[in-house]
Amino acid sequence: LDATLGALQRRELVQRDPRGFGGDDGLRFSHGLIRDAAYRFLPKETRSELHERLAMWLDRATEQPLGEQEEVVGYHLEQAYHYRAELGRVGARERALGAEAARRLDSSGRRAFARSDLPAAVKLLERAEALLSRDDRARAELLPSLGAALTEAGRLSEADRVLEAAVDCSRVN
C-alpha cells in the first residue's frame, strides 16, 4: 500500500492532507476530476462495499455521537444501499442497511428541523422516507415530521399529500 500511494504521490494524483481524520494520516486527490474519474472506474459492487466500510469506520473513528457525523454516515449507508439495489440485490441484509441509513437521515433531518434549517430538514427526511417500505413502522413515524417540515417550508400541497400518507400508514401499522 505504501509503495502504491507513493507512486500516486509522485505522479501528483494524490497528496498528503494534514487534516487527517481520526488520528490517521490524510490523503486527498490533487483535483476533483481525478477523484471523479477514479470513482467512476469502480464497479458498483465495490462502491457499495466501500461506502458501507467508510460509514462503519466513521462510526468507530470519532467520539462525536450525533451531529453532522451522523448525516455523513447516513449518506454513505444510503449510497451502499442504492448501489446494491441497482445490482438487484435487496435481501434482508440490504433492507437492514437501508433501514439504518434511514434512521440516521431521519435523526439528522429532525435536528435540522429543530434548528429551523427547513431545506436540509425536508431533503434529509425525504431521503430517509425513500429508503423505507410503505408498510414500515419507521416510515409511519417519520411521515408526520416530513409533513411538518414541508408545512413550515410553505410547500403545502406536498405537506398535505405526505400527511394523508401518514394517516393511511398509521391505519396499517
Side-chain angles (χ1 to χ4, degrees):
L1 182 63
D2 288 338
T4 301
L5 292 175
L8 292 172
Q9 283 181 290
R10 284 189 297 282
R11 292 182 184 135
E12 297 182 359
L13 297 173
V14 298
Q15 54 190 318
R16 293 258 175 236
D17 188 347
R19 300 169 292 159
F21 187 81
D24 292 333
D25 291 338
L27 288 172
R28 66 181 176 90
F29 287 99
S30 299
H31 194 281
L33 292 174
I34 296 169
R35 179 202 60 220
D36 294 348
Y39 187 75
R40 272 186 252 127
F41 180 73
L42 293 173
K44 287 181 181 180
E45 185 171 346
T46 303
R47 291 181 201 180
S48 175
E49 181 184 325
L50 291 174
H51 277 291
E52 184 177 6
R53 287 174 51 194
L54 179 58
M56 297 305 125
W57 179 82
L58 286 169
D59 257 353
R60 289 189 314 269
T62 185
E63 296 158 7
Q64 302 170 353
L66 297 174
E68 184 178 320
Q69 166 87 15
E70 188 171 39
E71 182 178 338
V72 173
V73 170
Y75 165 79
H76 287 290
L77 293 172
E78 175 188 31
Q79 294 303 302
Y81 171 82
H82 283 309
Y83 282 122
R84 288 184 188 155
E86 287 177 19
L87 292 168
R89 296 185 194 147
V90 183
R93 184 173 187 275
E94 288 75 21
R95 282 190 295 279
L97 188 65
E100 181 62 16
R103 187 183 71 75
R104 301 292 184 114
L105 295 172
D106 178 19
S107 177
S108 297
R110 290 172 194 253
R111 275 195 310 284
F113 185 71
R115 68 176 183 269
S116 298
D117 185 351
L118 298 176
V122 168
K123 193 66 172 166
L124 289 163
L125 292 169
E126 285 176 335
R127 287 170 47 206
E129 190 260 340
L131 292 164
L132 300 170
S133 65
R134 297 187 61 75
D135 60 345
D136 193 319
R137 182 157 180 71
R139 182 174 180 268
E141 295 170 4
L142 179 147
L143 287 173
S145 296
L146 176 55
L150 287 165
T151 300
E152 289 292 319
R155 295 167 57 180
L156 301 180
S157 62
E158 292 171 78
D160 187 48
R161 179 187 53 76
V162 167
L163 292 172
E164 284 179 20
V167 170
D168 292 343
C169 199
S170 69
R171 288 183 185 136
V172 173
N173 291 309

